[in-house]
């Protein structure tokens, strides 16, 4: 049994080492069905220096189209986040989903099919639930993902993704 | 005898850290649905039940974590192993189904739970030894990769990257970003310190004097502490130290072997 366990761990360790090389990641990913292989390069070689921001426009019943509003994806600094920071999962999840969606957008030829994307629907549902909790009755919405730089001196860099109106 | 005591102590430390880390992570994850975000079961037909399922999974995870800790520390080892295996399976289920929002700490936690579970198949002290050695090797690889990736990055080498990272909403504090922007020498010093601290662990591993390794581990722990406060990455602080006993043990094995 010792040999079996050590063999499994050794194979995983060798795969972990190979996975640190960017050129091999795609090939190794095919075998990593559980997505367990770690990429330890954290914030390198290219660190994240831009934020994604999610803005939406809604079509309210009897009120017509609204102006652009932002769905908050970020929270201000607080010392308590050293012990308690559930917001990081939401924040990371939103960043990931914006990245997946923009990657999909560049890969798909027929851009009209984007509204069938799970990531697109997920973002629509997130905005819809947020508005529903605020007591807003909406008949449709559109959203856009923009990238920004800085916190206090905020610079909007570019529009990364712009959806069509989605009927709810 | 002394080695066996150290092994048990290291194993208990690692296990305690992984249980604490799993507890904090599952408590935090159970609060995520309050942010309207759905990333557990992205399949549309299951959207309605998401919140209930999400909370149920993490309540089970929390219960398994607490019971595993109680059973381990009261010496009921068979029951502990059963509960710990259940914890590993439910965590794996949650991990696989989360399509986004996974970071290096989540991966290390999952690898650790699976390693502990796999090594239950071995005899007591051999199982403990293999668990600690494997986790030590994983985190040594982690710090080495992270250090080399930063060292080879022109952004990090130039040393003007921190004010940009701290200037983001995701991982930033505007005050710190502004301070660093005004003091480029300080920023360069801190950027290069981050690279040095990462690489200090694998470098000190090859130095026979264990004190050097302890200092390197303390420095990297302080680094995790700082990133938890400044960048909100608290799960790294509660996950990576679980491998420190393994690194210390590996260091001892490696240098004893060299001196033979």
């Amino acid at each position: 049994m010792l040999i079996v366990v050590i063999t499994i761990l050794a194979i995983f360790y060798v795969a972990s080492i190979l996975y640190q090389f960017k050129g091999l990641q795609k090939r190794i990913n095919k075998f990593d069905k559980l997505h367990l292989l770690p990429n330890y390069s954290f914030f390198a070689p290219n660190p994240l220096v831009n934020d994604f921001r999610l803005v939406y426009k809604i079509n309210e019943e009897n009120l017509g189209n609204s102006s652009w509003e932002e769905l908050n994806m970020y929270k201000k600094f607080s010392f308590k986040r050293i012990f308690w920071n559930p917001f990081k999962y939401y924040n990371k999840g939103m960043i990931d989903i914006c990245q997946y969606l923009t990657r999909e957008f560049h890969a798909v030829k027929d851009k009209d099919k984007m509204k069938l994307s799970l990531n697109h629907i997920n973002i629509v549902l997130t905005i819809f639930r947020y508005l529903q909790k605020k007591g807003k009755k909406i008949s449709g919405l559109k959203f856009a993902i923009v990238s920004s730089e800085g916190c206090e001196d905020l610079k909007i860099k570019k529009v990364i993704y712009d959806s069509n109106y989605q009927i709810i | 005898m002394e080695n066996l005591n150290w092994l048990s102590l290291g194993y208990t430390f690692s296990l305690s850290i992984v249980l604490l880390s799993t507890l904090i992570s599952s408590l935090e994850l159970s609060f995520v649905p309050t942010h309207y975000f759905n990333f557990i079961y992205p399949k549309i037909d299951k959207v309605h039940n998401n919140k209930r399922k999400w909370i149920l999974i993490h309540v089970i995870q929390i219960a398994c974590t607490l019971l595993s800790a109680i059973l381990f520390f009261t010496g009921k080892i068979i029951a502990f192993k059963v509960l710990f295996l259940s914890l590993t399976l439910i965590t794996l289920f949650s991990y696989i189904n989360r399509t986004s929002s996974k970071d290096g700490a989540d991966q290390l936690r999952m690898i650790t739970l699976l390693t502990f579970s796999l090594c239950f198949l071995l005899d007591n002290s051999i199982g403990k030894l293999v668990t600690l050695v494997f986790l030590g090797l994983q985190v040594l690889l982690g710090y080495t990769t992270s250090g080399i990736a930063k060292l080879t990055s022109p952004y990090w080498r130039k040393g003007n990257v921190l004010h940009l990272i701290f200037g983001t909403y995701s991982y930033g504090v505007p005050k710190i970003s502004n301070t660093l922007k005004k003091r480029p020498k300080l920023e360069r010093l801190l950027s290069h310190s981050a690279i040095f601290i990462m690489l200090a662990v694998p470098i000190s591993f090859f130095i026979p004097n264990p004190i050097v390794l302890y200092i390197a581990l303390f420095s990297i722990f302080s680094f995790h502490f700082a990133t938890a406060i400044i960048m909100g990455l608290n799960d790294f602080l509660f996950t990576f130290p679980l491998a420190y006993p393994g690194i210390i043990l590996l260091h001892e094995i490696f240098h004893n072997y060299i001196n033979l």
Side-chain angles (χ1 to χ4, degrees):
Chain A
M1 191 50 78
L2 179 64
I3 292 169
V4 174
V5 171
I6 289 181
T7 307
I8 294 170
L9 294 177
I11 290 171
F12 187 82
Y13 194 65
V14 171
S16 302
I17 295 172
L18 296 175
Y19 198 71
Q20 307 311 310
F21 298 95
K22 266 207 164 164
L24 297 174
Q25 281 176 358
K26 260 194 178 175
R27 257 180 268 175
I28 297 173
N29 264 336
K30 283 181 204 161
F31 304 100
D32 183 20
K33 302 289 178 205
L34 301 178
H35 303 287
L36 284 174
L37 289 172
N39 179 3
Y40 288 123
S41 63
F42 311 134
F43 293 92
N46 304 322
L48 182 117
V49 294
N50 293 320
D51 286 309
F52 285 114
R53 311 185 76 89
L54 192 61
V55 289
Y56 61 88
K57 231 176 187 186
I58 53 172
N59 196 308
E60 266 183 287
E61 281 173 15
N62 309 323
L63 287 172
N65 290 351
S66 73
S67 53
W68 287 105
E69 284 185 58
E70 188 180 352
L71 184 82
N72 188 22
M73 282 165 61
Y74 305 104
K75 228 177 192 178
K76 277 195 172 171
F77 171 80
S78 116
F79 274 105
K80 89 172 182 199
R81 69 184 185 183
I82 190 168
F83 300 110
W84 183 246
N85 189 15
F87 200 81
K88 69 171 181 280
Y89 286 112
Y90 167 74
N91 174 235
K92 175 87 169 58
M94 289 302 273
I95 294 170
D96 284 349
I97 217 150
C98 288
Q99 274 174 337
Y100 300 157
L101 188 64
T102 44
R103 244 179 265 161
E104 242 177 341
F105 181 71
H106 292 299
V108 169
K109 275 186 186 167
D110 183 0
K111 306 294 180 200
D112 222 34
K113 282 188 179 158
M114 284 309 293
K115 61 184 169 206
L116 301 174
S117 145
L118 284 178
N119 296 314
H120 176 103
I121 296 169
N122 221 343
I123 291 179
V124 170
L125 282 171
T126 303
I127 300 168
F128 174 69
R129 284 188 189 132
Y130 169 73
L131 294 168
Q132 207 180 25
K133 204 157 188 183
K134 277 180 121 185
K136 288 198 174 175
K137 283 183 181 168
I138 59 168
S139 54
L141 69 85
K142 69 177 279 174
F143 70 89
I145 299 168
V146 295
S147 72
S148 72
E149 198 182 89
C151 272
E152 284 177 336
D153 311 316
L154 186 73
K155 277 183 222 158
I156 299 294
K157 291 189 85 178
K158 63 176 177 182
V159 177
I160 297 170
Y161 179 84
D162 187 13
S163 81
N164 292 325
Y165 255 104
Q166 183 105 24
I167 294 164
I168 305 285
Chain B
M1 191 66 187
E2 197 189 317
N3 280 346
L4 274 178
N5 281 341
W6 163 239
L7 190 65
S8 291
L9 194 69
Y11 187 84
T12 307
F13 178 84
S14 264
L15 184 80
S16 308
I17 299 288
V18 75
L19 289 176
L20 175 72
S21 165
T22 312
L23 181 67
I24 293 174
S25 146
S26 40
L27 276 167
E28 286 182 337
L29 278 166
S30 59
F31 273 77
V32 170
T34 54
H35 298 298
Y36 328 104
F37 187 51
N38 159 51
F39 57 79
I40 181 160
Y41 300 119
K43 288 175 191 160
I44 302 308
D45 58 339
K46 290 180 181 172
V47 156
H48 292 302
N49 299 323
N50 268 355
K51 196 171 170 179
R52 208 177 301 158
K53 273 183 192 167
W54 176 272
I55 291 170
L56 181 69
I57 287 166
H58 293 103
V59 165
I60 296 172
Q61 228 181 326
I62 293 163
C64 286
T65 311
L66 291 172
L67 284 171
S68 296
I70 292 167
L71 292 168
F72 179 78
F73 286 108
T74 52
K76 291 171 179 126
I77 297 304
I78 292 173
F80 155 72
K81 286 182 178 175
V82 172
L83 249 295
F84 193 88
L85 280 173
S86 316
L87 172 66
T88 305
L89 289 177
I90 191 88
T91 310
L92 187 64
F93 178 77
S94 157
Y95 179 85
I96 294 168
N97 281 287
R98 266 161 65 198
T99 52
S100 59
S101 195
K102 285 190 266 197
D103 61 20
D106 285 303
Q107 280 180 314
L108 183 64
R109 192 180 306 118
M110 196 63 253
I111 292 169
T112 305
L113 290 171
L114 286 167
T115 308
F116 269 94
S117 301
L118 185 66
C119 291
F120 286 162
L121 294 169
L122 304 177
D123 285 344
N124 198 19
S125 51
I126 295 286
K128 287 177 181 176
L129 181 73
V130 174
T131 307
L132 292 185
V133 164
F134 180 74
L135 295 175
L137 283 170
Q138 268 296 335
V139 170
L140 267 179
L141 174 68
Y143 289 144
T144 310
T145 308
S146 182
I148 292 174
K150 287 178 180 64
L151 190 67
T152 52
S153 157
Y155 301 99
W156 281 91
R157 271 207 316 271
K158 214 173 165 192
N160 62 352
V161 77
L162 287 182
H163 83 269
L164 293 170
I165 297 175
F166 294 154
T168 62
Y169 270 91
S170 311
Y171 300 108
V173 182
K175 266 187 188 172
I176 296 179
S177 171
N178 291 337
T179 310
L180 291 176
K181 206 174 174 181
K182 284 176 199 157
R183 294 175 178 80
K185 278 185 184 169
L186 176 68
E187 187 182 15
R188 201 173 310 140
L189 178 75
L190 290 175
S191 299
H192 292 169
S193 303
I195 303 172
F196 178 75
I197 288 172
M198 289 282 169
L199 289 175
V201 179
I203 291 169
S204 62
F205 181 81
F206 292 100
I207 298 170
N209 189 347
I211 304 289
V212 184
L213 181 68
Y214 300 157
I215 294 170
L217 289 176
F218 179 75
S219 307
I220 196 78
F221 179 75
S222 311
F223 175 84
H224 285 309
F225 190 81
T227 53
I229 295 177
I230 299 169
M231 302 170 80
L233 298 170
N234 62 344
D235 49 353
F236 285 80
L237 177 70
F238 294 119
T239 311
F240 274 69
L242 69 84
Y244 294 176
I247 295 176
I248 295 168
L249 190 70
L250 261 171
H251 178 268
E252 198 186 315
I253 295 169
F254 178 73
H255 288 283
N256 281 345
Y257 179 76
I258 295 255
N259 291 333
L260 275 179

